[in-house]
Amino acid sequence: MKKRVIVGLSGGVDSSVAAYLLKEQGYEVIGLFMKNWHDDSVTISDECPWLDDSNDAMLVAEKLGIPFQTVDLSEQYKERIVDYMFDEYEKGRTPNPDVLCNREIKFDVFMKIALDLGADYVATGHYCRKTTITKDGQEVHQLLAGKDSNKDQSYFLCQLSQAQLAKALFPVGELLKPEVRAIAKEQELTTADKKDSQGLCFIGKVRLPEFLQQQLKPKEGVIVEIPKDNSFYNETLPTFNNKLEELQYQSRKPSYQVAEGKIMGKHQGAHYFTKGQRKGLAVGGTVEPLFVIDTDVNENVIYTGQGASHPGLFKKALFVSNDELHWVRQDLALENDQSMQVLARIRYRQPLENATLYKVESGLYVQFENPQSAITEGQFVAWYLDEELVGSGVIS
């Protein structure tokens, strides 16, 4: 009996080639397109309308001679992703919908549908790899970075569990992007030259302010510039009695006051902005561009600093609470008071940085060798041992 694989055909080149490769490898392949979105009023519609994508996915399935159908997951997507996003923005945090979409939709809701259809595996066009080792008589699945370091998407899968990985296949993970395009051209797949989609997972480009304004009402507030010589940045370093005190100090959130800076302009809601953001402030007349260094959603104030090297952007450590801590490799999870040397990143496409994990009773600290710019609450930090992603967590 051939093993059955259901491929999440997104209408892009990567999932198209994934389906082709699986067919070549002798699997019984079925293509499924996920419809996750109904509201076209906030999508920049000529960028990535789901209708075009679904047609492209169908044409690819026809060309490959595989069955194809569409599943409507927009209700679950709204519940698990969109509502969560609104909630996070309202709290002044910046969520990562792509990581959530993989954990909650593709490898949960979608995977369950696939397994109900008798699938042995679910495959996607992600640039990452999976290997399986045996440890203490148990199968352990490893999530590895994609061969194409320029396209590696392991970060987006940082919340997957062993159970989800057991059923996942990533056929393009061993290839470079140009190789994927070349295969698509050779096979005359309609998606061969289609440009990669940007924006929210399976929704396409969304005008974020309009999207957020559906739920979060605009509210005028002030934009304040905090000078580089603010006393917070020039404190004398205290003496620490233990490692925990040092970590708490390095990961602490500054508490700015309007009186400490200069009012530069107005904004329409602090919850529309995120740390490190430069666009959309609409404030001119400064020597260097302004960057958001903090937002206060309770007082509705945006704090900014001049230039990408402003000290308000940098921190050496961050904290993940126990309830938002996730180990892909549970067998490697740290016990309290244990530490681990890792490579870590706080956003997609960021080069991996040397860091040390410290497990404490309330959660886990990640201390970087070098200060990191714009560590943002609500985003995911992921950590690696060499090229294997072993765990992740939401930055608190």
Side-chain angles (χ1 to χ4, degrees):
M1 279 286 283
K2 281 186 176 182
K3 294 260 184 199
R4 178 178 289 181
V5 183
I6 290 190
V7 183
L9 279 182
S10 65
V13 67
D14 302 325
S15 62
S16 305
V17 171
Y20 164 74
L21 293 171
L22 290 164
K23 199 175 172 219
E24 287 295 287
Q25 288 160 22
Y27 289 102
E28 179 200 346
V29 181
I30 296 172
L32 228 57
F33 177 83
M34 288 173 248
K35 184 182 181 199
N36 287 341
W37 195 242
H38 283 301
D39 184 358
D40 293 331
S41 66
V42 292
T43 49
I44 302 171
S45 55
D46 56 350
E47 280 283 349
C48 179
W50 71 267
L51 208 57
D52 290 358
D53 287 341
S54 129
N55 285 337
D56 288 343
M58 188 171 68
L59 290 170
V60 165
E62 262 172 32
K63 180 82 182 159
L64 296 176
I66 61 173
F68 174 78
Q69 65 184 78
T70 297
V71 284
D72 189 338
L73 304 182
S74 44
E75 202 176 303
Q76 293 94 324
Y77 192 92
K78 185 192 174 298
E79 226 167 78
R80 296 198 192 192
I81 311 296
V82 177
D83 292 352
Y84 172 87
M85 280 174 70
F86 285 136
D87 191 47
E88 287 285 277
Y89 275 108
E90 207 160 17
K91 289 180 190 154
R93 303 200 331 168
T94 307
N96 187 316
D98 292 308
V99 173
L100 283 167
C101 180
N102 285 316
R103 184 185 79 191
E104 298 286 331
I105 303 295
K106 285 185 207 163
F107 292 93
D108 188 40
V109 178
F110 182 75
M111 188 174 259
K112 284 181 181 138
I113 290 170
L115 298 177
D116 285 345
L117 291 170
D120 296 289
Y121 297 104
V122 162
T124 61
H126 282 104
Y127 285 83
C128 63
R129 292 169 295 151
K130 177 185 107 171
T131 57
T132 304
I133 56 171
T134 305
K135 184 176 170 184
D136 305 327
Q138 299 284 320
E139 273 200 344
V140 176
H141 305 288
Q142 296 179 294
L143 176 63
L144 306 176
K147 267 277 161 62
D148 190 336
S149 55
N150 201 31
K151 291 297 291 180
D152 167 40
Q153 292 173 311
S154 54
Y155 174 82
F156 289 134
L157 302 171
C158 68
Q159 286 276 296
L160 295 195
S161 66
Q162 284 291 309
Q164 289 170 316
L165 273 178
K167 296 285 183 191
L169 295 177
F170 307 111
V172 301
E174 295 287 346
L175 300 174
L176 305 179
K177 184 76 182 201
E179 295 174 314
V180 169
R181 290 225 182 261
I183 291 170
K185 266 212 169 75
E186 252 164 56
Q187 298 307 315
E188 297 176 352
L189 300 179
T190 177
T191 53
D193 295 317
K194 188 171 176 180
K195 62 179 214 280
D196 294 345
S197 73
Q198 301 291 320
L200 292 187
C201 170
F202 278 97
I203 289 185
K205 274 207 157 142
V206 165
R207 293 188 184 86
L208 203 58
E210 281 100 317
F211 180 64
L212 292 174
Q213 276 167 16
Q214 294 181 338
Q215 297 264 342
L216 310 176
K217 292 289 160 258
K219 188 168 126 195
E220 192 171 85
V222 291
I223 298 171
V224 176
E225 185 198 336
I226 298 291
K228 290 179 182 174
D229 58 4
N230 181 292
S231 59
F232 183 84
Y233 313 133
N234 302 305
E235 293 175 350
T236 317
L237 207 62
T239 320
F240 305 114
N241 297 313
N242 52 48
K243 188 69 189 178
L244 180 60
E245 283 183 10
E246 180 194 351
L247 292 163
Q248 284 170 335
Y249 180 82
Q250 287 183 348
S251 62
R252 77 204 193 284
K253 189 176 161 74
S255 96
Y256 300 113
Q257 303 298 321
V258 175
E260 292 171 32
K262 177 178 166 200
I263 293 179
M264 302 297 287
K266 296 261 175 45
H267 63 79
Q268 288 308 307
H271 43 249
Y272 300 146
F273 291 83
T274 183
K275 270 201 194 107
Q277 184 172 336
R278 179 182 154 183
K279 292 191 174 119
L281 286 165
V283 174
T286 55
V287 179
E288 291 183 273
L290 290 181
F291 288 82
V292 176
I293 58 172
D294 205 10
T295 59
D296 181 340
V297 289
N298 297 325
E299 297 297 320
N300 198 29
V301 179
I302 293 173
Y303 292 101
T304 62
Q306 268 193 57
S309 60
H310 189 282
L313 283 169
F314 292 89
K315 259 179 11 182
K316 263 200 90 161
L318 62 86
F319 181 67
V320 174
S321 66
N322 279 330
D323 59 341
E324 297 193 299
L325 173 60
H326 173 76
W327 290 90
V328 177
R329 287 284 304 273
Q330 282 157 326
D331 56 310
L332 298 178
L334 295 177
E335 301 292 334
N336 289 346
D337 301 325
Q338 286 184 329
S339 63
M340 183 191 278
Q341 303 260 274
V342 294
L343 294 165
R345 57 167 55 110
I346 53 169
R347 58 181 69 88
Y348 174 53
R349 294 191 86 80
Q350 180 199 24
L352 288 166
E353 301 272 341
N354 289 325
T356 308
L357 308 180
Y358 294 94
K359 181 71 182 79
V360 298
E361 205 161 312
S362 54
L364 179 107
Y365 283 96
V366 183
Q367 186 181 43
F368 289 91
E369 200 176 285
N370 301 308
Q372 299 297 300
S373 174
I375 291 178
T376 306
E377 294 92 338
Q379 290 280 302
F380 288 88
V381 55
W383 49 90
Y384 295 70
L385 294 174
D386 290 329
E387 54 177 7
E388 181 186 359
L389 194 157
V390 295
S392 67
V394 181
I395 299 168
S396 44

